[in-house]
Amino acid sequence: MARKFPLHPAHPERICWGCDKYCPADSLQCGNGSGRTQHPAEVLGEDWYEYGDWGLEVEPEQKSLTLQEKG
């Protein structure tokens, strides 16, 4: 079973988001020779999942948790 993609991880800068391995930023295992892939929230902002088709099924309680964490 695949892990759920987190909407707002605590420290997205510590992880590479380019594949399903979620490697630490300083030890990439995918071997693509490039740097860390940023989490969409780092690039597009906190509401990144509301625009476009990401193929994610965001449940209402996830949205409400996100709003509670901000406030």
Side-chain angles (χ1 to χ4, degrees):
M1 183 173 178
R3 296 185 230 174
K4 283 191 172 190
F5 192 80
L7 298 180
H8 298 98
H11 294 281
E13 71 279 358
R14 296 181 183 173
I15 297 174
C16 176
W17 300 95
C19 67
D20 292 346
K21 294 181 182 180
Y22 301 137
C23 302
D26 59 355
S27 63
L28 303 178
Q29 297 176 11
C30 60
N32 66 6
S34 64
R36 176 183 80 85
T37 301
Q38 293 181 316
H39 187 277
E42 293 179 88
V43 180
L44 303 172
E46 296 295 319
D47 60 349
W48 65 272
Y49 57 89
E50 294 181 5
Y51 304 100
D53 184 14
W54 293 92
L56 299 173
E57 297 201 14
V58 179
E59 299 169 8
E61 62 267 8
Q62 284 180 297
K63 286 185 181 181
S64 65
L65 286 174
T66 301
L67 293 175
Q68 289 174 3
E69 289 171 0
K70 287 182 186 179

